[in-house]
Amino acid sequence: MVLAEDLAKQQRSISVAEFFEKNKHLLGFDSPTRGIITTIKEAVDNALDACEEAEVLPDIFVGIRKVDAEVYRITVEDNGPGIVPENVPLVFGKLLYGSRFHQIRQSRGQQGIGISAAVLYAQLTTGTPARVVSRTGAKALAHRFELMIKTETNEPEIVSHEEIDWDRTHGTRIEIQFKSTLAAKKRLVDYLRLTAIVNPHARITADIDGEVTTFERVTSEVPPCPKSILPHPHGIEFGALKRIAAASTGTVDEFLVGSFSRVGKKTADEMIALAKLKPSRKVNKLESDELKRLLDAMQAVKVPAPPAQQCLSPIGEDLICKGLEKEIQLDFIKARTRPSTVYGGHSFIIEAAIGYGGKIPPEGNAQIFRFANRVPLLYQQGACAITNCVSQVNWKSYGLSQQGLPTGPALIMVHVASTNVPFTSESKDAVASIPEIEREVVLVLQELGRELKSYLSRRDKKKQQDDRARAICSIIPEIAVKVSEIVELPLVDTSPIEGKIMRKIVAKKRTNNGQVHIDVNNYTAREVTFVLYNLSRDAAADADPRPDFVDDIDGEYNKVWRCTLGAGEAWQVVYTGAGDGSLDLRGVEDGMKVVVDLDV
Amino acid sequence: MSREEMDALARERLVGIARGWYDQMRDGIVPFIRLPTRTKRNIAYDDASEVWKYGEKESTRAAANEKGAVHLLKMAYLIGFLKQQLVENRSSTLRELYYISEGWKKAKFAAQDESNLLIEDLEIITEVQREAFHLRPEEDGASIFGSLRIRETTRRGVKEMHCQDDVGEAGYPIPNNVDNLEFVDHDAKFVIAIETGGMYARLMENGFDEEYGAILVHLKGQPARSTRRVLRKLNDSLGLPVVVFTDGDPWSYRIYASVAYGSIKSAHMSELLATPQAQFIGVQPSDISDYNLPSDHLTEQDISALKAELTDPRFATDYWRNQINLQLEMKVKSEQQAFASRGLDFVTKEYLPKRLSEMGVI
């Protein structure tokens, strides 16, 4: 007994702040390298959420300055609506304080832990308070706070508070100093780039130790701010039902219609009948077992999916493509937004894009970009349901090689937008495997795979045609020269082959001993009028025939000839020059022409 | 056939290829050429000559795409060069040919393998050997030791020598052009072709050639064309049986196969190069267990080579199927010199006499 009493003395409650102080990794502060990224991520997420709520185009500044050997000062500033002075200490100095926790809608932040965890991390490693400046509008002065968190109680401690002038009319600025390193600088820039891709309406400027990078916006339309909706009867658990029932004053049917989305009178009656309850019962008077029956009934009755249009904010196919193209040079890009669907009463929309070629590294695994509610997921790629889905798809049938993950110059982006993204942990690194979500991801990737395949086969066909054209227009004539020499007969004319095989308009350029020859042959069955553009450093003063037009730009001459050729006719121009530059034939549809530069 | 006649034939055949292309182009046809497919799936046993030759499968190389066109362009340049060489009565080696292509721009060879293959293609199409194009092999032939008198027409006149009495320990080196070689007389009962230098020296040291009337031929691994032609000639013109003694591993069986059945690469000349009567004396996989020879484990490559041999038509006999399957079961291989574990004389006193009498050679 004495032992139990001794033990009892040591037993006490712990505050959430204390808990997370000891379990930093749960929030993504496992290492100094990661801490910097997590802090910026939390601050930028908050800034974007705030801007969207106020429907302003986000203009976000991220600053990182080395203050001391191991200490960095992180600054994040936005042009959002600002925070009223009373709330500033709570938002930044208290864990689990936030506006979005009780709302059902798509948002980046949820529990109100992130930024205050960064404040906590700062005071833990350097002991310095966080500095917050916020201004709610032109008429108000800005307020500057210096804040810390009392970990034993999880309450904010205001070190100082003053009103100041600030050049921004509205917005919030936070400065935090903590021990860190810039070892993951590339990852940090990647994170900002990815954030810019999925937030194409935001401008993000980063100043990392004096090095400034700007991610410009591609649209100036603010996406509509998702509206919160009532909980869906299929997505509710017993505890939550009990709590909202206790707070309600109406009857059971009023409660069902008024507190849940998509429940009308008819659906409510059906649920009540199934639960064997009287519709007129006061809902706050229901016994536990009656509530349990009601919950079962709510989940047994068919209810339409929650109103996704209202509570979700997908990026959209067009903006995904624009966002990706702006940051990464691609030869091909296609995006898809799936119709909304639902898991366990939570709405979600899967969006995805596939990119190919351009500046994507041609070797190794395809790049996989994962996003949840417009936030890039940087860590734990292997544990993520999205990655798992990517490797489930049979990419070989879409023209990509595959070793688990697809390989080659491809980029795969997947965005999960939901009122409740199922993460595997609090640090929100990986999406948990939920069959409904995985199904949608696989479907969208298959749709995109088919698009990729048709692009690749079009490209291959074009390549094959070019290859053929090169062989016929450039190498066969050389074979002809050699063969004629061997058999000691006059040079065999290979234009019949060209004509027979190509049946097109063929333009050829060949430079020999300082003479540039450009030949155009019309092997089609009808008359064509073409315009020939030859851009090079040759002035071609002695060109025969004379160009119809010459444009001189910085020593480059764009020579233009316009000509009409009957079926089977040929045309030629000769001039003195080096024969560099390029050749282009216009006025003839793409499939009908072959342009070969034999000097290349 | 006289040298002049041979030159004229080679030239006519080469120019014939070019003429074919000339006519095709004049008629508006993309130039092309047909060749037998050069894979093991396309070699067939020819009853008349008792060797393996290319079968019916043909592939077409046409100038319809860049790769095919460049291929024909290279062949055209090569034909032009060989024609010139015949006209000027000059000769060159394969290596020199590869370097000569340096000035051929688009027709330049990327590696010597490429020019070697093209030469083989031309041999197949023209049915004329590369020697007729005045191309000298640079691979050296191996050597002969035994009771054989030969007469060789060399650049310094005709020489006659005896392959036991007039040569050193290394034996008589086989020249590149076997056509200049004549067998005068011999006092031998059979020919034994040996894969490794160590075993060749062992047989010589133990006087195996004298005791059993053997002509020893050192193959030096995969034998050169001239070595194979000499074996064929010894078998053909002197009527001597030929046995092949190699290591007991899949690569050595291929050495035997190229001597006896012809190789896939030169199946177009099997009649000249292969000795269909050549018999495999060992090391047989069964010898490894019968004589408890020291052995090594088969590697992954060994196993896949053995499996490939099971699908090779040249090994499609009961004897080889049994031996190869046995080896795959035992998972080991032995070198021919492993017999030394039973004493330095074991191979010449016991193994070879026993095998030779079983095979009916002595």
Side-chain angles (χ1 to χ4, degrees), chain A residues 315-332:
Chain A
I315 306 160
E317 297 176 355
D318 185 42
L319 284 178
I320 290 177
C321 291
K322 279 189 182 153
L324 280 169
E325 276 179 319
K326 172 180 64 96
E327 295 301 335
I328 298 150
Q329 200 195 316
L330 300 160
D331 292 338
F332 165 82

Side-chain angles (χ1 to χ4, degrees), chain B residues 60-113:
Chain B
T60 301
R61 300 226 176 104
N65 56 49
E66 190 163 5
K67 202 173 153 226
V70 169
H71 187 88
L72 290 203
L73 182 66
K74 287 177 179 174
M75 206 179 244
Y77 267 83
L78 185 56
I79 290 171
F81 168 77
L82 293 175
K83 179 194 163 192
Q84 203 56 33
Q85 180 162 276
L86 289 167
V87 169
E88 293 170 7
N89 193 20
R90 295 170 64 88
S91 66
S92 55
T93 66
L94 292 175
R95 188 81 188 147
E96 282 169 333
L97 178 70
Y98 163 64
Y99 284 123
I100 283 164
S101 83
E102 200 63 33
W104 294 356
K105 284 178 266 179
K106 275 189 196 131
K108 176 179 180 276
F109 297 123
Q112 197 186 332
D113 281 355

